[in-house]
Amino acid sequence: MFKHIKNDLPASIVVFFVALPLCLGIALASGAPLFSGLIAGIVGGIVVGSLSGSQIGVSGPAAGLAAIVLTAIGALGGYENFLVAVVLGGAIQLLFGVLKAGIIGYYFPSSVIKGMLTGIGIIIILKQIPHFFGYDSDPEGDFAFIQVDGENTFSEIINSVNFISPGATTVAILGLLILILWDKVLTKKARIFQLIQGPLVAVIVGILFFVITKGNDIWAISTEQLVKVPIPEDASSFLAQFSFPNFAVITRPEIWVTAFTIALVASLETLLCVEATDKLDPEKHVTPTNRELLAQGTGNMISGLIGGLPITQVIVRSSANIQSGAKTKLSAIIHGFFLLISVILIPRLLNMIPLSVLAAILFIVGYKLAKPALFKEMYQLGWKQFIPFTVTVLGIIFTDLLVGIGMGLGVGIVVILIKSYQNSHFLHIEDKSNGKHRIKMTLAEEVTFFNKGAILKELDSLPIDTFLELDVRKTRYLDNDIIEILDDFAYKAKERNIDIKLISELGTVENPTSFVDFFKLRPKTA
């Protein structure tokens, strides 16, 4: 695990700076103690990071659960009662893992997953605009369209125009310029700039700016525009920040209803994020989804027992981790230790970090998730990909994460039902072993994302030193999801010494380098 520490350590610092304000902001948006968000971030990094099979996923408190938590705390009669539901929700997630419910994650179409990533990227940028200009009335972790303060995403941006802070805006622009310079120029000049991440330099500049301008009538940054980590006076007051479940209410039906809701929503959000991070992962790792549910369930039980918010795998942290060059789960684990050590040893230093600088960091994360070129790419793939993608993006922007994904999935299912009406879906495998493994895989006439789980399972189960004959001559419609799976498999096949022979109506190709490019050449059917 320490083989790639030169990549993982710098990445963990970036994830730490992304996670810190979000942990605090999500706790504030949830109506929970601020320290509860930090507990969830620490447990998500150290515990879930250690148990998870994901190499680049990062877990912590999730914005998608903020509304549920806010309602549940009031309905259940206090935070200690709510913690019982968190512990039970974790236990239910363990049961989901044992029952192998993680396979659900394979049945979300690629267009919806890409729409989720793009929608989150756009919403990150939109939500950070007020913080960028020093208007910080809404919590950092409030990602829903209708906010906890009664405003919506766009009205908050309009309001921020009337409250622009010169100091916060200036240091945010400085931070953004540093990040762009680091990413586009300096990292290509010398190795030192790859080890020392741009976000760390931007944060240091932000702290220095705060210290230098303190007391200035125009340029000073107010305490409302800074990170707000709870500062304990001594060891006993630090320990007093932990809350513990009131198990006396465990028999109340509403506790169990809340627990099941947390387990279901947290599991669904985690599986979606797993699918998305695997798609972003340059190494094309495949995360074991059932193991992920077991890790998340364990993390939620521990978080609930010591006063933390519910945990999921989170795409904002995970994408920042990937963009920063992380290679293994060590990055997620180290970021958890950074959170723990910093809130104990340097909370006052953390409270000198301007939120506007962290907004600049999140701008970069959001832009890389929602690059304009992706819209053009999805449009060129045809209406069957573009419509579910667009609906998902708009749904996330104007509602919230899960509602937006549900809208995109609904449209995607309708599209697939239209295309699949007349044909069955099947995968035929013929083993022609004679000494070396020789496998013939024949795809059906219609292959859609419904077949993704079965095909992925068969490809992953192929032994090393295999000769795979892939016959697509009868395949009239091949979904883009399946093409991407084959493309990712071609990348991994080299490591497993698997030779591929692709047979199509255009002829035979040995070890194709890109299935995406190949299938672009095939005649398109109506």
Side-chain angles (χ1 to χ4, degrees):
M1 189 165 60
F2 293 92
K3 178 181 177 182
H4 297 287
I5 192 166
K6 67 180 185 296
N7 303 99
D8 294 330
L9 182 58
S12 68
I13 296 172
V14 178
V15 178
F16 164 70
F17 286 126
V18 169
L20 179 63
L22 294 181
C23 287
L24 296 166
I26 290 168
L28 188 61
S30 303
L34 287 181
F35 197 66
S36 66
L38 294 171
I39 292 171
I42 293 165
V43 173
I46 298 173
V47 177
V48 179
S50 300
L51 298 176
S52 171
S54 176
Q55 295 300 309
I56 35 71
V58 184
S59 297
L65 286 168
I68 295 172
V69 174
L70 181 64
T71 303
I73 291 173
L76 299 178
Y79 190 64
E80 287 73 16
N81 294 350
F82 168 73
L83 290 176
V84 179
V86 177
V87 175
L88 293 175
I92 294 170
Q93 281 187 291
L94 288 176
L95 181 62
F96 287 165
V98 171
L99 295 176
K100 302 191 182 303
I103 195 173
I104 295 170
Y106 294 129
Y107 292 94
F108 288 90
S110 174
S111 57
V112 173
I113 297 299
K114 289 179 179 178
M116 180 185 88
L117 291 169
T118 304
I120 289 173
I122 293 172
I123 207 71
I124 287 172
I125 294 171
L126 293 176
K127 291 292 187 179
Q128 291 304 316
I129 289 174
H131 297 284
F132 187 89
F133 292 117
Y135 182 65
D136 303 303
S137 63
D138 187 57
E140 282 269 355
D142 189 2
F143 284 164
F145 181 72
I146 303 298
Q147 300 173 169
V148 294
D149 61 357
E151 299 288 345
N152 63 54
T153 303
F154 297 105
S155 69
E156 194 81 1
I157 294 173
I158 294 169
N159 289 342
S160 68
V161 174
N162 300 319
F163 297 94
I164 293 177
S165 166
T169 305
T170 299
V171 76
I173 293 171
L174 282 174
L176 191 59
L177 291 174
I178 288 170
L179 293 169
I180 295 171
L181 180 67
W182 223 268
D183 185 48
K184 299 296 183 182
V185 180
L186 296 181
T187 52
K188 299 176 177 65
K189 297 290 185 181
R191 188 168 183 80
I192 185 67
F193 297 114
Q194 297 174 10
L195 297 174
I196 301 174
Q197 291 284 309
L200 176 60
V201 178
V203 167
I204 292 172
V205 169
I207 294 173
L208 291 174
F209 187 94
F210 166 72
V211 173
I212 293 169
T213 60
K214 197 170 185 179
N216 187 287
D217 292 338
I218 299 175
W219 302 104
I221 298 175
S222 68
T223 54
E224 289 75 21
Q225 297 163 340
L226 301 171
V227 171
K228 298 181 184 67
V229 175
I231 301 177
E233 296 299 325
D234 50 37
S236 60
S237 59
F238 175 78
L239 294 175
Q241 295 181 100
F242 291 88
S243 304
F244 302 99
N246 175 24
F247 284 109
V249 299
I250 197 170
T251 56
R252 287 167 52 181
E254 58 267 34
I255 293 287
W256 285 90
V257 171
T258 302
F260 187 79
T261 303
I262 290 172
L264 192 63
V265 175
S267 298
L268 183 57
E269 194 163 330
T270 291
L271 293 174
L272 287 165
C273 288
V274 163
E275 182 81 358
T277 50
D278 282 356
K279 193 167 290 297
L280 291 173
D281 182 11
E283 300 295 330
K284 305 302 179 187
H285 293 107
V286 178
T287 300
T289 51
N290 295 316
R291 177 176 168 181
E292 188 64 29
L293 290 178
L294 294 172
Q296 296 290 336
T298 304
N300 272 317
M301 290 186 72
I302 294 173
S303 183
L305 285 170
I306 58 176
L309 290 174
I311 294 168
T312 72
Q313 190 176 125
V314 188
I315 193 61
V316 180
R317 295 168 178 80
S318 301
S319 58
N321 197 33
I322 295 167
Q323 292 168 17
S324 303
K327 297 292 184 182
T328 73
K329 63 168 69 179
L330 187 62
S331 174
I333 297 170
I334 293 175
H335 119 275
F337 278 109
F338 279 154
L339 283 172
L340 175 61
I341 295 167
S342 63
V343 299
I344 295 173
L345 299 181
I346 55 168
R348 285 182 172 80
L349 181 62
L350 295 179
N351 287 346
M352 295 180 184
I353 301 174
L355 289 172
S356 59
V357 172
L358 300 179
I361 295 172
L362 286 166
F363 270 6
I364 301 297
V365 174
Y367 175 77
K368 289 184 177 180
L369 285 174
K371 288 183 176 179
L374 183 59
F375 287 88
K376 181 181 179 182
E377 176 189 327
M378 296 304 295
Y379 180 77
Q380 291 175 339
L381 289 173
W383 68 271
K384 296 183 291 295
Q385 294 292 312
F386 187 69
I387 292 179
F389 168 81
T390 305
V391 169
T392 305
V393 171
L394 294 176
I396 289 173
I397 292 172
F398 289 102
T399 58
D400 60 34
L401 176 64
L402 293 178
V403 172
I405 290 169
M407 292 167 60
L409 181 61
V411 173
I413 290 173
V414 171
V415 170
I416 292 302
L417 290 176
I418 292 171
K419 293 299 301 179
S420 306
Y421 179 71
Q422 295 179 327
N423 295 278
S424 61
H425 315 277
F426 65 90
L427 174 69
H428 174 68
I429 296 181
E430 178 185 347
D431 191 347
K432 303 193 298 182
S433 298
N434 183 14
K436 185 176 181 178
H437 294 285
R438 295 181 64 85
I439 305 292
K440 180 177 181 181
M441 184 182 292
T442 305
L443 297 189
E445 286 185 89
E446 299 272 345
V447 188
T448 71
F449 75 87
F450 286 123
N451 307 110
K452 184 162 66 169
I455 293 176
L456 187 62
K457 179 182 177 183
E458 295 296 343
L459 292 174
D460 285 343
S461 66
L462 291 177
I464 60 173
D465 300 321
T466 294
F467 183 89
L468 173 64
E469 186 176 294
L470 183 63
D471 192 342
V472 296
R473 286 175 293 183
K474 297 179 181 178
T475 306
R476 190 165 58 87
Y477 173 71
L478 192 61
D479 200 342
N480 188 66
D481 285 53
I482 308 302
I483 297 174
E484 289 185 358
I485 284 177
L486 295 174
D487 210 48
D488 291 346
F489 174 73
Y491 177 90
K492 301 292 287 185
K494 299 173 186 176
E495 300 176 1
R496 294 160 57 188
N497 196 27
I498 296 176
D499 293 316
I500 304 171
K501 181 180 180 181
L502 178 62
I503 305 173
S504 76
E505 70 272 31
L506 297 179
T508 300
V509 180
E510 299 281 351
N511 293 317
T513 56
S514 173
F515 281 86
V516 172
D517 292 341
F518 177 82
F519 284 106
K520 282 180 181 176
L521 301 175
R522 298 183 72 205
K524 288 186 168 49
T525 58

